[in-house]
Amino acid sequence: MAGHFTIKTSYVSRMTGSTDTADIASLIDLLRASRRTVIFTGAGISTESGIPDFRSPGGIWTQMAPIDFRDFISSAELRKEAWRRRFAMEEMFSTVQPNEGHHAVASLVKLGKASHVITQNIDNLHQQSGVPADRVIEIHGNTRYAKCLNCGARAELEPIRAHFEAHGEPPDCRFCGGIMKTATISFGQAMPESEMARAEAATLACDLFIVLGSSLVVYPAAGFPILARKNGARLAIVNREPTDQDIYADLVLNRQIGPTLREAVNAL
Ligand code: NAD
């Protein structure tokens, strides 16, 4: 698609919450020109709520390696470890609140500007900020509940925790005896087919695709911005650090998501 303008700014030193009007004006221009925007979020949108991301200094990966899906299936010990880690984070996940970035995204959906939020996050904060559940596409699942890996039955975490504390191991599925896991997608696990299909359809139908807080290194999720761009949509990336996909973007803002997006949405 001809006529894209390219503005790349790198104002990492100004990551204080203050914003620069010139580059935010470009984001506002893109939003105003858009009839159908898709928002794509990563762990970076939730750091302002107090949930660490994976790859920033102090991020989750600097503290513990992720447990691969095959290891989870084959090792009862690693399943216990996965659940131990999950319950250790329960206080954070059950009390955390959406921040102004989530609320700005919710406003874009409410205004009819954004059709969908495709999220890699598992924290449920887009729904908590008021985005209708059918507009949120969770391609890496949700950590606020569990699922049986065999029959797919949903289970709440509290009874699993009570069993874990009483017996030192998680319960099997009460319907089929299968293995229970948080309803998240681990490394090595198949992507959820219907969510991927919905994410692809939303991406192909948009004219503006905005990435918020993703290092864009986790595939296939990171394929969506490229798909949007190849399909003729404009691409904007708001992320604290540069990403490998900045070269494809019409606009790159190395800025803090919350204040940046709030200012842009307030101007619409
Ligand atoms: P990532 O950790 O690889 O990248 C996050 C990016 O966001 C980084 O480049 C960082 O510079 C940027 N960032 C952090 N805070 C920011 C802020 N306030 N403003 C602007 N930029 C900010 O995350 P990813 O790309 O989402 O991939 C990691 C995987 O881990 C994903 O699959 C995700 O599901 C999962 N994850 C989810 C959560 C969550 O649900 N909140 C938390 C950690 C990891």
Side-chain angles (χ1 to χ4, degrees), residues 228-248:
R229 190 69 182 76
K230 277 189 179 158
N231 194 47
R234 290 189 159 181
L235 174 61
I237 299 176
V238 182
N239 200 61
R240 202 151 59 185
E241 298 156 341
T243 76
D244 289 348
Q245 294 190 21
D246 290 359
I247 49 170
Y248 306 117

Side-chain angles (χ1 to χ4, degrees), residues 14-168:
R14 287 190 233 156
M15 286 289 305
T16 55
S18 70
T19 49
D20 180 271
T21 36
D23 53 14
I24 292 176
S26 303
L27 181 59
I28 295 165
D29 286 347
L30 285 175
L31 280 164
R32 284 189 179 144
S34 170
R35 295 166 60 95
R36 192 177 169 114
T37 298
V38 161
I39 305 291
F40 177 89
T41 62
I45 196 173
S46 294
T47 58
E48 291 166 51
S49 291
I51 304 179
D53 62 11
F54 267 175
R55 291 177 182 78
S56 292
I60 292 168
W61 275 6
T62 60
Q63 292 157 33
M64 51 184 145
I67 296 172
D68 189 86
F69 186 63
R70 267 183 306 183
D71 295 334
F72 183 90
I73 296 296
S74 61
S75 164
E77 281 312 308
L78 284 176
R79 284 201 287 283
K80 283 187 212 169
E81 172 62 12
W83 279 107
R84 191 192 59 72
R85 287 181 187 181
R86 175 59 188 84
F87 294 135
M89 292 195 290
E90 177 56 10
E91 196 180 333
M92 175 183 77
F93 277 122
S94 61
T95 56
V96 77
Q97 294 298 320
N99 62 59
E100 64 177 346
H102 296 104
H103 289 300
V105 169
S107 298
L108 287 174
V109 175
K110 199 170 178 188
L111 288 168
K113 184 61 80 176
S115 68
H116 292 89
V117 181
I118 303 172
T119 188
Q120 301 171 85
N121 294 344
I122 56 173
D123 54 29
N124 208 54
L125 289 180
H126 287 300
Q127 293 92 326
Q128 281 174 238
S129 70
V131 181
D134 64 347
R135 298 305 180 105
V136 182
I137 306 174
E138 294 176 313
I139 53 179
H140 291 164
N142 189 310
T143 195
R144 302 298 309 280
Y145 59 96
K147 264 189 181 173
C148 170
L149 290 175
N150 184 46
C151 73
R154 176 182 167 136
E156 301 313 312
L157 296 186
E158 206 38 54
I160 296 179
R161 184 181 193 161
H163 187 286
F164 191 83
E165 283 171 3
H167 304 280

